Amino acid sequence: MPKIDTEPKLDFEQVLIRPKRSELNSRSEVDLTRSISFKKSGSTWTGVPIIAANMSSTGTFEVCKELSKHKIITALHKFYTLEDYKKNSSELNPDFYMVSTGISSADFSNMCEIVDTMNPKWICIDIANGYIASFLEFCKKVRSRYPKHIIVAGNVATREMVETLIIEGGVDVVKVGIGPGSVCTTRKKTGVGMPQLSCVIECADAAHGAGGFIVSDGGITCPGDLSKAFGGGADFVMMGGTFAGHHETPGEVVTVKQPDGKDKKFKLFYGMSSEHAMVKFYGKKNDYRSSEGKVVQIPYKGPINDTVLDYLGGLRSTCTYIGAKSIKHMSKCTTFVMVSRQLNQIYG
C-alpha cells in the first residue's frame, strides 16, 4: 500500500516571519558574514553564505568576479576546463568559488585536473537526483582523493539521505531541494519533490545532528524568501534565477516589442536539465530521458550589484525585525506563521 504523510509540508509562499522585540536599532548593526568550521575537511571559511548556482547562465567567471566583492560564493558550472580556469586565475579567490562536477568518469578526470592545478577550497558534486547509488560512491571517491577540501553535494530533499551523505559519504555540506527552481520542471514531469521550506527545516536538523551543513537550493523569488530559508535553518542559500538576466551573465540581450508598443529587453535563462542545455553541452537529448527544465526569456536586470544590494538589504532588515545580530542567529530568532495571503496585490 502507498504511504501518505499527512503532516503539512510548507513552501516559502505559505508562511511569514513573525516580528519580535529587537535590541537592534539599525540595519547597519547586522553582520551578514559567517565563519564556519567543517568537521569532515577540517577547513574553515568566512563570508556571506549565499551561492550563485552552478548553471551555465549564472555560474560564470564574470559573475564570480562581481559576487566575490561581496564575499559571496559562485559555484562555477561544470563545463569549464582547466584552460578556462587558468585564463581567469588572477581574479579567482579560493574562498569564493566552487569547482563543480558531475559523477561520470570524464567529470572526475576534469575535476581532478582543475583541483590539482588550481587548489580551490570548494568542490561541488552536483546531479539532479542524489538518491542513486553511484552518487554516494562518487562522494566517497572525492573525499578519499581530497580529504582537506570542503565538499558540497546534492541534490536531495530528505533527512535520511542528508545523514547518509554526511556520515558515509564524507560530505561537508548537502545541497537540498528537488524541483523548486524557477526553470526546473522535475515536479511536473515526475511528481517528485518536497516543498522547500519544510525540506530546509527537516534537512537542516538532520545535517546539524550529523555534524554537517546544508545549502537550500532553489525557490527564492524575492529577498523575503532568502530570509525564510535562513530562518528555517539553512546554512547557505543557492540562487539561480535571482542572479540570471544581468549585464554580467552570458547571453545576448534581446529587445522585444510589447503589446503597448514599448520595447523591453530580455536575456535567455534555462534549466540545466532542459533539452536546450542537453543539446548545447552534450550534443543531444537521449530518448530514454525527458526534459526537466524550462527555457525562458527573463527581463534584463542591469548590473548584478544592484540585485545583490537589494537582497542583502532585505536580509539585514529581516534581522532587525526579529532581533538577530547575524545570519547564524536567524533560525533561533525565527517563528513562522502560516498565512493564506502574503501580499496586497491590488496595484500589482
Side-chain angles (χ1 to χ4, degrees):
M1 288 287 292
K3 296 181 179 179
I4 299 179
D5 183 352
T6 58
E7 183 178 331
K9 305 297 181 185
L10 303 173
D11 238 322
F12 297 131
E13 65 183 11
Q14 295 169 291
V15 300
L16 288 169
I17 298 172
R18 177 185 290 163
K20 60 182 65 173
R21 182 179 174 181
S22 173
E23 297 297 323
L24 297 169
N25 292 307
S26 169
R27 296 172 180 83
S28 63
E29 297 176 30
V30 177
D31 182 9
L32 295 183
T33 59
R34 187 174 175 187
S35 294
I36 298 178
S37 297
F38 301 95
K39 292 176 68 174
K40 295 293 181 179
S41 62
S43 299
T44 58
W45 173 84
T46 299
V48 177
I50 296 171
I51 307 169
N54 54 325
M55 307 170 78
S56 61
S57 44
T58 55
T60 68
F61 293 113
E62 293 75 16
V63 169
C64 184
K65 178 183 176 181
E66 294 303 313
L67 296 188
S68 63
K69 297 174 183 177
H70 298 274
K71 299 183 178 181
I72 291 172
I73 301 168
T74 299
L76 296 167
H77 67 72
K78 62 186 177 185
F79 301 102
Y80 281 136
T81 64
L82 176 58
E83 290 306 309
D84 296 321
Y85 277 86
K86 284 181 176 179
K87 289 176 185 176
N88 293 275
S89 60
S90 63
E91 296 181 336
L92 290 175
N93 183 327
D95 279 325
F96 304 120
Y97 79 92
M98 296 179 180
V99 174
S100 298
T101 181
I103 63 171
S104 70
S105 297
D107 288 329
F108 185 75
S109 297
N110 185 58
M111 179 205 68
C112 289
E113 193 175 33
I114 294 168
V115 173
D116 291 345
T117 303
M118 302 298 297
N119 193 29
K121 198 163 196 169
W122 301 82
I123 297 172
C124 179
I125 307 169
D126 177 69
I127 64 172
N129 180 1
Y131 289 86
I132 61 176
S134 54
F135 179 65
L136 177 60
E137 294 308 311
F138 190 89
C139 291
K140 293 178 182 178
K141 183 179 178 180
V142 175
R143 173 52 76 204
S144 177
R145 176 76 180 256
Y146 299 108
K148 295 183 179 180
H149 285 71
I150 305 169
I151 297 177
V152 179
N155 281 29
V156 300
T158 52
R159 63 182 307 123
E160 295 82 7
M161 201 61 200
V162 168
E163 292 167 346
T164 298
L165 288 170
I166 294 170
I167 296 169
E168 296 183 32
V171 170
D172 294 288
V173 189
V174 180
K175 198 147 68 79
V176 304
I178 300 289
S182 58
V183 287
C184 179
T185 60
T186 294
R187 294 176 181 178
K188 181 178 180 180
K189 293 295 180 74
T190 70
V192 175
M194 170 78 93
Q196 190 65 5
L197 178 60
S198 289
C199 173
V200 166
I201 293 171
E202 293 182 18
C203 291
D205 180 62
H208 300 158
F213 302 89
I214 68 161
V215 178
S216 172
D217 178 17
I220 305 301
T221 67
C222 60
D225 290 343
L226 178 62
S227 295
K228 291 171 188 176
F230 283 124
D235 304 290
F236 298 84
V237 178
M238 178 174 275
M239 303 188 293
T242 297
F243 290 129
H246 291 91
H247 172 73
E248 295 80 4
T249 56
E252 182 183 353
V253 177
V254 178
T255 301
V256 179
K257 191 170 290 294
Q258 302 301 294
D260 61 4
K262 296 181 180 178
D263 289 338
K264 190 171 184 179
K265 294 180 178 179
F266 294 86
K267 264 195 171 184
L268 200 67
F269 181 49
Y270 52 88
M272 296 309 291
S273 291
S274 66
E275 183 171 355
H276 178 90
M278 286 184 248
V279 171
K280 180 175 181 178
F281 294 108
Y282 299 107
K284 65 176 182 177
K285 180 184 78 67
N286 292 316
D287 291 340
Y288 63 79
R289 64 180 299 173
S290 67
S291 170
E292 293 180 25
K294 303 176 192 174
V295 180
V296 299
Q297 287 182 337
I298 60 175
Y300 175 66
K301 302 174 185 176
I304 200 168
N305 185 66
D306 294 346
T307 295
V308 172
L309 294 178
D310 183 46
Y311 271 70
L312 296 184
L315 202 52
R316 291 189 187 93
S317 191
T318 302
C319 289
T320 62
Y321 271 110
I322 63 176
K325 294 182 179 180
S326 66
I327 288 177
K328 182 179 180 180
H329 295 154
M330 289 183 73
S331 62
K332 298 180 179 65
C333 299
T334 294
T335 299
F336 291 111
V337 292
M338 291 180 62
V339 297
S340 58
R341 188 181 75 165
Q342 285 203 49
L343 304 174
N344 183 340
Q345 299 278 27
I346 191 168
Y347 298 122

